[in-house]
């Protein structure tokens, strides 16, 4: 999909160190990729929360 590794973060969760690997997707890469159309059902009454 075009994501690139963007580093690792370490945090403490409930006293345990957890590692998360970050990825990023640049605007140029996002815009250059073909994306299928998406249809969402079941948002009746929630449109304002999604800016619709």
């Amino acid at each position: 999909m075009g994501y690139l590794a963007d580093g690792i973060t370490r945090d403490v969760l409930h006293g345990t160190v957890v590692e998360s690997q970050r990825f990023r997707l640049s605007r140029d890469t996002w815009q250059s990729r073909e994306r299928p159309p998406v249809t969402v059902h079941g948002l009746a009454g929630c449109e304002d929360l999604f800016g619709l």
Side-chain angles (χ1 to χ4, degrees):
M1 295 194 74
Y3 285 91
L4 300 173
D6 191 37
I8 294 174
T9 57
R10 291 176 183 86
D11 299 292
V12 177
L13 178 64
H14 305 295
T16 302
V17 175
V18 292
E19 257 187 22
S20 299
Q21 186 168 0
R22 296 188 320 257
F23 292 90
R24 67 182 170 87
L25 179 64
S26 71
R27 179 184 297 265
D28 290 338
T29 301
W30 168 256
Q31 290 177 336
S32 72
R33 304 291 171 129
E34 187 173 327
R35 292 173 301 283
V38 174
T39 303
V40 178
H41 299 275
L43 289 179
C46 299
E47 295 88 350
D48 289 344
L49 297 172
F50 292 93
L52 303 174

